[in-house]
Amino acid sequence: MPKEYKTPQLDELEKGPWPSFVKEIKLAAKNNEMANDVLGQLEQSYDERLGHWKHGGIVGVMGYGGGVIGRYSDLPDKYPAVSHFHTLRVNHPSGWFYTSDALRKVCDIWEKHGSGLTNMHGSTGDIVLLGTRTEKLEPVFQELAEAGFDLGGSGSDVRTPSCCVGKARCEWACYDTMKACYDITMRYQDELHRPAFPYKWKFKFAGCPNDCVASIARADCSLIGTWRDDLRIDQDEVAAYADGGLDIFNDVVLQCPAKCMRYDAEKKTLEVDNESCRRCMHCINVMPKALRPGTDTGAVFLLGSKAPILEGALLSSVMVPFVNLDDEEEFEDFCDLVDEMIDVWCEEGKARERVGEFIQRVGMGNFLEAIGLEPMPEMVAYPRDNPYIFYEMEEEEELEEA
Amino acid sequence: MAETKPRITDIGPPDYRQFLPPVIEKNYGQWKYHEILEPGVMVHVAERGDKVYTVRVASPRLLSLDTIRFYADVADRYCGGHLRFTSRHNVEFMTTDADNVPEIRKEVEERGHLVGGIGNSITSMVHTQGWVHCHSAATDASGIVKAVMDDLAEHFTAMDLPAKCRIALACCLNMCGAVHCSDIAILGIHRKPPRIEHDKLDKICEIPLVSSSCPTAAIRPTTVNGTKSVDVIEEDCMFCANCFTVCPALPIADAEADGVSIWVGGKVSNARTQPRFSKLAIPYITNNPPRWPEVTSAVKNIVDVWRQDARKFERIGDWIERIGWPRFFKKTGIEFGKEHIDDYTHAGLSFQRTAQITHVDWD
Ligand code: HEM
Ligand code: HEM
Ligand code: SF4
Ligand code: SF4
Ligand code: SF4
Ligand code: SF4
C-alpha cells in the first residue's frame, strides 16, 4: 500500500481548461510507488520553491555511452522509491508516427520496469521514459529492443535526429524529410550510442522554409527544404481566392519580402519574378490551393545553431545553398560532407565546443578550407565590414614565383 | 545454466514506414493542398482526390501510461490504429472519414484534452523538466506551462490572433527547450553562484573535475581550514549549474533568488521575415507556485497588447519591429532598465545606431 501524500499545492494545478500533468502523475501513482513518491517530492518542491534532484555518476547500459540520464533524489530516506530515478531516451520513429500496438508495447514495458511516467516527447524528439532504477536499465533496454526500439543520444554524441511530417502529410515538403531522418539515424548509430565528439551534434530536417521543427535554431545541422525553379501558380484558383474575398494585394503582394509579386486585379492573375523570390513561403501559406513550391526541389544545408551556453546563441548559417537529398548519390555526397565537418571538429574542437562555436573561433574561411568547400556569396548576409583581413601572403608569394 | 539470449544493440529507431496510416502510405509525397476546417481540424487533399482529416489535440506532455493507452484506444476506434505526435507535443488523430471528426473531438474533450493549435493560434508550449526531474532547475516547468496555458486556452481553441504565437519554457539557461527563438520565452534563472559546502566537498567530489566543469573558469582549487576545497570567483559565474552537475556539494538553487525571465519576438519560420532570437522583456519574476500569477499575467498582457495592436500576419517580433521597442515597452507597461542593455561580446550591435527615432511620451 503506497503512502498517501497530501498535495494541496499540486491540487491547484488540476483545475483549469488545459490538460493537467498533475492528473497524469496521480493516475500513474495509483499503482506505482515511484510515481507516488514523485508526487510527494514535487509537493515539497512547490512548498519550498526548490528542486530535490541530484546528478551523480554515469549510468547506462552495457556498450552504450548515451541514452540514459542518471538521476537521484536528494531526500532518499523520505522518498525511497525515487532514490534512483534514471531516465531513458528512446529514439522515436520519424515524424512521430505510431501504431496503437507499438505504443502499447512501450507502455507494457514501462509499466513493468519504470515509474509509468513519460514525456511524449522530449524537446529533441525522443520518447522520454522518466524514472527507473539502475538494475532495471538493462531489462528495459532489451525488452525495448525486442519490441523494435533503441535508445537515443545523450552526452557528446549525435543526438536523436528529428524531422517534420514532410511528404507524409504536407504538400509543401521539398524533400523526403522522414526518409532522410531515418537514413541518417541508421547511418550514425555508432556515433549516436557511443559519445566521442567534443560536444553534442543535432540533425533536424524541415521540409520547407516554414521550418516546423525549428531546425535553424535547434540543430547543429539544419536541412531546410527549398526549390530552384518557378513557383507553381494555378491562375483559376487565384481568381477563386479573389472571388472568395481574399485581399490579394494587401495580404499577399504587399507582404512579400522580395517585393517580387504583381497582381492584376482586373484579370485576377498573379505574376512572380522568380529570380527575386526568396522562397519564404508566405504567399504559399496564404493561398495553398493557388500557389505551390516548384518541382526542382531539395534543401538548403545550414550549420551551427545552438542555445546560448556557452558563447551565446547562434542560428545555423548556409553551407550549401542547394542539395537534392532525394537523389541517392547526392545524399551520399551530403553524408560525406557531414563526415568531413565532424572530422575537422573532432580533431580541432575543444571539449564542450559546439560546431557553431568552433567555427566562430577558427573562422568560417578556415573551416571552409579545411572541409574543402569553396566560399560563396550565399553563405553571408553581407561581406565583411571591418578591415582586419588576414591576408595569406605566403600563398601569394608562391603564386608569384610560379 | 540459463540460456543467454544474444543482446540486441544498435538497431536504431523502428522504421517509420510500418507506422503510416494506409491513406498516407498511398499518397506519400502526393498531397495537393490542405484546408483548415475549424480550429484544430484540417483536411489534406491528395492529387488523386483522397482526403485525410486531422484532429490536433493538446496534451500535458508529461503522460501516464493510462493516457497513452487512451490515445491508442481512440486511434483504434477511429483511425485504423494509427496516430502521431507533433513537434510541439500535441497528438494528431488522422481519419479518412469526416464523420469520425466529431466523435474524436467528443472523446478527447471528455477526457479534458482540448482540440486546437492550428493556424493563427497559440499551440502547446515546448518545455523542459523542472522540479519533476532536473537538478539544475531554477523553476518548475510543467506547473508554469499548465498555469500559462490555462490562461491562454481560448487562443488554442480559436484562431483569433494576427499570426501564430509560439511560447516556450526552459527551467534554466541550459535551455533544453531551446526557447531562444520563440514569440514568447519563459526562462528560469538562478541569480546566485553556488554555495560551497567546504566540509564535504573533498569527500564527495573530484576537485580537478569540478574546476574543469565550469565553462567560465570561475572555479579554482583552494584550501579552507586545512581541507581541500574550491573557490568560486563570483563575478565570473553565470549561474549555469554545471558545477553542481558534477559535484553535489555546490548547490546553486536558492528559493529566494531563483525565478524566471521573459523574452519576446523570436521566430524560426522564414515566412515574410527572417528567423530571429527572442529579446529580453522582463528580467526577473520571483517563483510563486503553484500558479505563478505574476508570470501568467505578464504573458497574457503581452499577448493581449499584441493581439489588439498588430496588423494581420505580424508575429510578435514583426509587430515590435514596426512599432519600435520604445512603444513596445510603453504599450505593455513593462519597465525598461539596465538589464535590458546588452553588455556581452558585440553588445554594440544592439545599440540604436541611427537618428531614426519614434518619440514616446514617457510621462
Ligand atoms: C542533467 C540535467 C539535464 C536534464 C534532466 C536534461 C533533460 C533534457 C531532456 C529530457 C531533453 C529532451 C531530450 C530529447 O527529446 O531527446 C533535453 C534536451 C536538451 N538539453 Fe538537456 N538536460 C539536462 C542538462 C542539460 C545541459 C547541462 C545542457 C546544456 C549545457 C542541456 C541542453 C539541452 C538542449 C540544448 C536540449 C535540446 C533542445 C532541442 O533539441 O531543441 N541540457 N534535455
Ligand atoms: C501544410 C501545412 C502545415 C503543416 C502540415 C504543418 C505541420 C506542423 C506541425 C505538425 C507542427 C507541430 C505543431 C504543433 O505541435 O502544434 C508545426 C509547427 C510549426 N509550424 Fe507548421 N505546418 C504547416 C504550415 C505552417 C505554416 C503556414 C507556417 C508558418 C507560416 C508553419 C510554421 C510552423 C512553425 C514555426 C512551427 C513551430 C516550430 C517550433 O517552434 O517548434 N507551419 N507545423
Ligand atoms: S516544415 Fe514545411 S514541409 Fe515540413 S511540415 Fe512544416 S510546412 Fe510542411
Ligand atoms: S515565396 Fe515569399 S518571396 Fe517568394 S513570391 Fe512568395 S512571398 Fe514573395
Ligand atoms: S533547462 Fe536546465 S533545469 Fe531545465 S531540464 Fe534542462 S538542464 Fe534541467
Ligand atoms: S554555476 Fe556555472 S558558471 Fe557558476 S561556478 Fe558553477 S559551473 Fe561555473
Side-chain angles (χ1 to χ4, degrees):
Chain A
M1 191 58 208
K3 274 181 279 186
E4 257 201 52
Y5 294 107
K6 291 240 174 317
T7 56
Q9 300 247 22
L10 293 175
D11 296 349
E12 287 300 312
L13 291 168
E14 288 188 81
K15 301 171 186 165
W18 195 252
S20 166
F21 73 102
V22 174
K23 281 190 185 150
E24 298 297 319
I25 301 179
K26 286 190 175 176
L27 278 173
K30 269 197 250 162
N31 42 28
N32 188 299
E33 282 201 329
M34 294 184 99
N36 193 50
D37 273 1
V38 167
L39 196 65
Q41 182 175 309
L42 189 61
E43 178 72 14
Q44 180 166 347
S45 285
Y46 269 63
D47 269 337
E48 298 173 352
R49 296 186 288 156
L50 282 177
H52 280 290
W53 298 105
K54 62 181 183 185
H55 205 69
I58 290 169
V59 291
V61 299
M62 212 193 352
Y64 280 24
V68 182
I69 310 186
R71 185 93 339 166
Y72 304 85
S73 170
D74 70 4
L75 302 167
D77 297 334
K78 197 161 172 197
Y79 306 107
V82 292
S83 57
H84 292 206
F85 198 65
H86 311 319
T87 283
L88 292 104
R89 292 184 182 171
V90 181
N91 199 330
H92 64 290
S94 277
W96 298 283
F97 279 91
Y98 296 92
T99 54
S100 47
D101 285 346
L103 279 181
R104 286 196 190 96
K105 272 188 209 157
V106 175
C107 288
D108 293 345
I109 296 166
W110 198 232
E111 180 154 52
K112 199 157 56 164
H113 296 298
S115 71
L117 293 171
T118 72
N119 287 155
M120 301 296 279
H121 295 79
S123 49
T124 301
D126 296 276
I127 301 172
V128 175
L129 299 178
L130 285 172
T132 191
R133 302 191 58 79
T134 307
E135 64 274 15
K136 294 284 194 179
L137 292 170
E138 183 66 24
V140 178
F141 172 57
Q142 277 309 292
E143 286 177 39
L144 283 169
E146 273 160 34
F149 287 87
D150 198 348
L151 299 187
S154 71
S156 297
D157 62 5
V158 168
R159 293 298 181 88
T160 305
S162 72
C163 64
C164 78
V165 68
K167 287 187 186 257
R169 204 202 50 207
C170 185
E171 66 271 29
W172 298 329
C174 294
Y175 69 98
D176 193 343
T177 53
M178 301 219 306
K179 181 169 188 299
C181 181
Y182 180 69
D183 291 348
I184 282 283
T185 311
M186 295 311 281
R187 186 184 178 106
Y188 288 100
Q189 280 296 295
D190 192 33
E191 291 82 354
L192 201 152
H193 292 136
R194 290 162 200 94
F197 290 173
Y199 206 8
K200 55 185 114 177
W201 174 284
K202 295 186 177 177
F203 289 99
K204 288 195 201 292
F205 300 87
C208 82
N210 282 327
D211 198 357
C212 292
V213 282
S215 73
I216 201 162
R218 295 165 55 173
D220 301 273
C221 191
S222 320
L223 277 297
I224 302 179
T226 188
W227 64 96
R228 282 192 294 203
D229 55 345
D230 295 354
L231 257 166
R232 282 178 288 168
I233 307 183
D234 181 335
Q235 298 291 359
D236 293 341
E237 291 290 347
V238 173
Y241 274 107
D243 295 338
L246 179 70
D247 182 347
I248 295 179
F249 183 69
N250 276 303
D251 289 357
V252 182
V253 176
L254 277 191
Q255 303 289 333
C256 167
K259 303 283 171 272
C260 68
M261 309 189 92
R262 198 185 287 237
Y263 179 58
D264 184 328
E266 233 152 77
K267 292 197 204 124
K268 296 178 190 162
T269 53
L270 201 56
E271 214 184 299
V272 176
D273 167 11
N274 281 287
E275 265 186 47
S276 301
C277 168
R278 298 178 192 171
R279 281 87 181 152
C280 85
M281 290 303 287
H282 172 74
C283 57
I284 300 175
N285 290 340
V286 179
M287 309 172 72
K289 282 189 184 170
L291 302 176
R292 308 169 74 182
T295 52
D296 181 12
T297 57
V300 190
F301 172 10
L302 308 94
L303 191 74
S305 86
K306 55 176 286 292
I309 296 264
L310 173 65
E311 296 288 341
L314 294 171
L315 290 169
S316 289
S317 71
V318 174
M319 285 287 115
V320 185
F322 189 89
V323 285
N324 178 355
L325 292 175
D326 292 338
D327 178 296
E328 294 288 331
E329 235 170 83
E330 283 197 43
F331 185 77
E332 283 304 312
D333 290 347
F334 161 71
C335 294
D336 290 345
L337 182 57
V338 169
D339 286 341
E340 198 70 49
M341 290 173 172
I342 290 180
D343 283 350
V344 170
W345 170 60
C346 284
E347 194 86 1
E348 313 276 342
K350 296 198 250 184
R352 293 178 64 83
E353 186 174 53
R354 296 279 286 268
V355 69
E357 286 166 335
F358 169 67
I359 292 172
Q360 301 244 303
R361 179 166 62 82
V362 301
M364 180 61 90
N366 293 333
F367 180 71
L368 293 175
E369 231 165 56
I371 58 173
L373 272 187
E374 287 297 322
M376 294 172 76
E378 285 88 342
M379 294 170 175
V380 295
Y382 50 85
R384 167 201 302 275
D385 60 4
N386 66 59
Y388 310 125
I389 308 170
F390 188 74
Y391 291 100
E392 290 174 0
M393 294 299 287
E394 265 168 58
E395 280 175 32
E396 281 182 25
E397 275 160 29
E398 275 167 30
L399 274 180
E400 273 165 36
E401 277 162 29
Chain B
M1 246 185 69
E3 206 180 320
T4 49
K5 273 190 273 178
R7 258 174 116 246
I8 311 170
T9 68
D10 298 277
I11 57 170
D15 188 334
Y16 59 95
R17 280 164 278 225
Q18 62 188 297
F19 294 148
L20 299 179
V23 62
I24 282 189
E25 203 176 2
K26 184 167 150 212
N27 296 291
Y28 199 91
Q30 320 230 350
W31 297 102
K32 191 163 174 215
Y33 68 91
H34 74 283
E35 279 177 303
I36 301 175
L37 301 175
E38 59 189 74
V41 181
M42 57 185 166
V43 60
H44 283 79
V45 181
E47 298 281 5
R48 57 159 70 80
D50 288 348
K51 289 183 181 174
V52 62
Y53 298 87
T54 299
V55 183
R56 188 177 287 175
V57 179
S59 118
R61 185 179 88 117
L62 198 171
L63 292 175
S64 65
L65 303 179
D66 292 36
T67 299
I68 299 176
R69 287 175 176 136
F70 162 76
Y71 293 154
D73 292 343
V74 173
D76 280 348
R77 278 196 285 279
Y78 307 105
C79 311
H82 297 267
L83 76 166
R84 73 175 290 266
F85 293 81
T86 72
S87 58
R88 300 188 74 89
H89 319 311
N90 296 311
V91 189
E92 290 185 338
F93 294 102
M94 295 152 288
T95 173
T96 48
D97 183 352
D99 292 341
N100 282 335
V101 169
E103 301 293 323
I104 296 169
R105 177 187 281 280
K106 192 161 144 263
E107 288 218 21
V108 298
E109 284 180 349
E110 266 170 21
R111 200 173 166 103
H113 292 220
L114 304 172
V115 171
I118 297 181
N120 292 340
S121 63
I122 294 179
T123 184
S124 302
M125 287 171 65
V126 167
H127 62 279
T128 49
Q129 303 294 341
W131 294 334
V132 172
H133 193 55
C134 190
H135 68 286
S136 359
T139 188
D140 190 31
S142 316
I144 302 189
V145 167
K146 163 73 173 137
V148 167
M149 288 310 291
D150 275 343
D151 256 24
L152 297 176
E154 58 182 301
H155 302 302
F156 181 83
T157 53
M159 299 182 290
D160 56 352
L161 300 174
K164 289 174 195 297
C165 177
R166 310 279 177 188
I167 310 181
L169 178 144
C171 31
C172 83
L173 78 174
N174 284 323
M175 281 200 202
C176 295
V179 301
H180 54 286
C181 291
S182 308
D183 294 277
I184 302 178
I186 303 171
L187 176 64
I189 38 171
H190 298 291
R191 296 187 304 159
K192 281 194 186 164
R195 295 181 301 283
I196 309 164
E197 299 175 343
H198 292 298
D199 48 329
K200 49 180 176 176
L201 194 137
D202 188 40
K203 285 184 218 115
I204 54 178
C205 311
E206 282 180 53
I207 288 176
L209 190 67
V210 180
S211 310
S212 67
S213 76
C214 177
T216 66
I219 303 181
R220 304 278 160 81
T222 186
T223 308
V224 179
N225 301 330
T227 340
K228 280 196 229 143
S229 185
V230 298
D231 231 1
V232 173
I233 305 166
E234 302 208 343
E235 308 85 82
D236 289 350
C237 174
M238 40 85 166
F239 323 118
C240 70
N242 276 344
C243 50
F244 180 55
T245 302
V246 300
C247 176
L250 289 167
I252 187 167
D254 183 305
E256 299 310 320
D258 293 350
V260 307
S261 52
I262 295 186
W263 306 70
V264 296
K267 75 193 274 271
V268 294
S269 151
N270 287 272
R272 298 172 310 284
T273 51
Q274 296 177 355
R276 61 173 162 244
F277 294 130
S278 314
K279 315 289 192 297
L280 182 64
I282 304 179
Y284 177 71
I285 302 176
T286 190
N287 275 325
N288 190 2
R291 298 201 66 101
W292 283 267
E294 298 81 4
V295 176
T296 58
S297 63
V299 171
K300 192 156 173 27
N301 175 44
I302 294 166
V303 170
D304 284 344
V305 176
W306 163 67
R307 186 161 64 91
Q308 282 151 23
D309 202 58
R311 296 187 184 151
K312 204 166 162 184
F313 304 119
E314 278 179 347
R315 302 269 299 245
I316 288 181
D318 304 333
W319 164 64
I320 298 172
E321 186 125 316
R322 176 170 59 79
I323 66 169
W325 285 99
R327 280 205 285 166
F328 166 79
F329 283 98
K330 175 81 182 176
K331 280 171 192 277
T332 54
I334 297 171
E335 220 173 294
F336 187 86
K338 183 179 166 191
E339 291 94 343
H340 289 96
I341 303 177
D342 193 0
D343 50 14
Y344 200 60
T345 323
H346 307 306
L349 294 173
S350 70
F351 301 164
Q352 186 64 283
R353 298 169 298 161
T354 168
Q356 295 182 358
I357 287 279
T358 49
H359 290 284
V360 173
D361 182 2
W362 288 109
D363 300 323

